[in-house]
Amino acid sequence: MNNDVFFRKDLLNRSLSIRELIFIALGLLCLASFISPPTALLIGIVTAQWLGNPFPDFTHKLTHVLLQVSVVGLGFGMDVESAATASKDGFVLTVLSLFGILILGYFIGRFLRVDRKISFLITVGTAICGGSAIAAISPAIKAEEKQISVALATIFILNSLALFIFPVLGHLFHLSQNQFGLWSAVAIQDTSSVVGAASRYGEKALQIATSVKLTRALWIIPVAFGSDIVFRNKGGKIKIPYFIGLFVLAILANTYIPFVHTVSQDLVRVSKSGLTVVLFLIGSGLSIKILKSVGVRPFILGIFLWLAIAIPTLILILSFFN
């Protein structure tokens, strides 16, 4: 029997414990409009240390699905012209930062003597789109569960910090909505934290950040094929992020179908709530055990790469983008 089906039947056929009820209640609380994305993440982290996550396997899969559905929903708040403009503005930054980080990650990883596959997963996670890139690339290089876990934990810890730090720095440097949207999309690894940080900064920043980040995510495909060759893993499976196509369809529907436009704001509101819950779920997985499993060297690699992408792109954005 499928594990997910068994899990759902198990929940229906037994009484929930106090711990499980509290966890579910906190997750539902994050749907409230007064809970911001950083607050939801913080609630999740505190919950991880206090109660732990009673449904780790289920919430891991739920996070993946809910993130994709919510990002597609954000597409209903955008139009073709603004999305195309944002993607165009972010293209040069994407190309420069992508190849720069891939090269830098190789040399820093070797210098720090980080496991080759862990180093590569952290590098592509930083260069492209965090956990989604790691999930897509892992099968192509036949990474082991431990290697994937260390890479994901490193990226998620840094993303948690970014969600709090980036909006503060954006205001400190007086970044415009356009500038912050571009910077967060390029310099924050995971889509969930990009959306969370940009939504705090403003609606325009959110639209730009989402468009640029998902356009950037398309680089998963060529990088995955390239990594398959580099690691000599012929026949390795590659997970293509098909939800990006649905995001584009949502933008097209909102632009050209009048009925969709009348309900688009409601869809966007629901999607933002979904992303807030995603951040709670991510936080609930960051237990002390997970944090300790990362190790010093992979974390140092992640910080170096993060600074290497965040600082130069900020300088370029301040210099050439309004």
Side-chain angles (χ1 to χ4, degrees), residues 226-239:
S227 62
D228 186 59
I229 295 170
V230 170
F231 283 84
R232 299 175 183 175
N233 292 323
K234 294 182 179 179
K237 295 180 180 178
I238 297 170
K239 296 181 179 179

Side-chain angles (χ1 to χ4, degrees), residues 45 85 96 98 108 113-114 142 153 170 175 178 195 197 200 209-210 271 303 307 314 319:
I45 293 172
T85 301
L96 290 175
L98 174 69
I108 296 179
R113 296 180 181 177
V114 178
K142 296 183 179 178
L175 298 183
N178 180 57
V195 173
R200 287 185 65 196
T210 307
S271 298
I303 292 175
L307 293 176
L314 176 60
S319 302

Side-chain angles (χ1 to χ4, degrees), residues 57-196:
D57 293 334
F58 179 72
T59 54
H60 175 73
K61 293 178 181 178
L62 178 61
T63 300
H64 179 70
V65 173
L66 188 57
L67 173 61
Q68 294 188 349
V69 171
S70 298
V71 168
V72 170
L74 291 178
F76 290 103
M78 304 172 64
D79 59 70
V80 170
E81 183 178 354
S82 62
T85 301
S87 299
K88 181 181 177 181
D89 287 344
F91 180 76
V92 175
L93 286 174
T94 293
V95 173
L96 290 175
S97 60
L98 174 69
F99 288 100
I101 292 299
L102 288 176
I103 294 170
L104 193 60
Y106 171 77
F107 287 106
I108 296 179
R110 289 195 64 180
F111 176 76
L112 293 174
R113 296 180 181 177
V114 178
D115 175 88
R116 187 185 180 204
K117 291 185 179 180
I118 292 176
S119 175
F120 187 71
L121 291 175
I122 292 173
T123 299
V124 296
T126 303
I128 307 176
C129 57
S132 299
I134 291 171
I137 301 296
S138 296
I141 66 172
K142 296 183 179 178
E144 297 176 0
E145 188 65 32
K146 173 68 175 179
Q147 295 167 324
I148 298 170
S149 297
V150 170
L152 285 173
T154 302
I155 292 298
F156 285 145
I157 291 169
L158 295 177
N159 273 283
S160 300
L161 294 173
L163 191 57
F164 295 98
I165 295 172
F166 269 63
V168 174
L169 291 177
H171 290 298
L172 180 65
F173 289 103
H174 305 291
L175 298 183
S176 66
Q177 296 278 315
N178 180 57
Q179 289 174 322
F180 186 82
L182 284 172
W183 187 44
S184 60
V186 174
I188 300 178
Q189 300 96 327
D190 202 71
T191 305
S192 58
S193 290
V194 169
V195 173

Side-chain angles (χ1 to χ4, degrees), residues 212-278:
V212 174
K213 193 63 180 179
L214 294 188
T215 302
R216 187 183 185 88
L218 291 173
W219 283 91
I220 288 176
I221 301 171
V223 171
F225 281 109
S227 62
D228 186 59
I229 295 170
V230 170
F231 283 84
R232 299 175 183 175
N233 292 323
K234 294 182 179 179
K237 295 180 180 178
I238 297 170
K239 296 181 179 179
I240 299 174
Y242 294 106
F243 78 97
I244 297 175
L246 296 176
F247 173 77
V248 173
L249 290 177
I251 295 174
L252 292 172
N254 185 56
T255 305
Y256 299 113
I257 302 176
F259 167 74
V260 172
H261 194 68
T262 61
V263 298
S264 60
Q265 292 307 308
D266 292 327
L267 292 172
V268 171
R269 193 177 303 111
V270 172
S271 298
K272 288 181 179 179
S273 296
L275 284 163
T276 303
V277 175
V278 165

Side-chain angles (χ1 to χ4, degrees), residues 261-303:
H261 194 68
T262 61
V263 298
S264 60
Q265 292 307 308
D266 292 327
L267 292 172
V268 171
R269 193 177 303 111
V270 172
S271 298
K272 288 181 179 179
S273 296
L275 284 163
T276 303
V277 175
V278 165
L279 289 166
F280 164 76
L281 295 175
I282 289 173
S284 71
L286 294 176
S287 64
I288 293 295
K289 181 179 179 181
I290 293 294
L291 299 179
K292 288 182 177 179
S293 72
V294 173
V296 175
R297 292 181 182 180
F299 192 64
I300 291 175
L301 171 63
I303 292 175

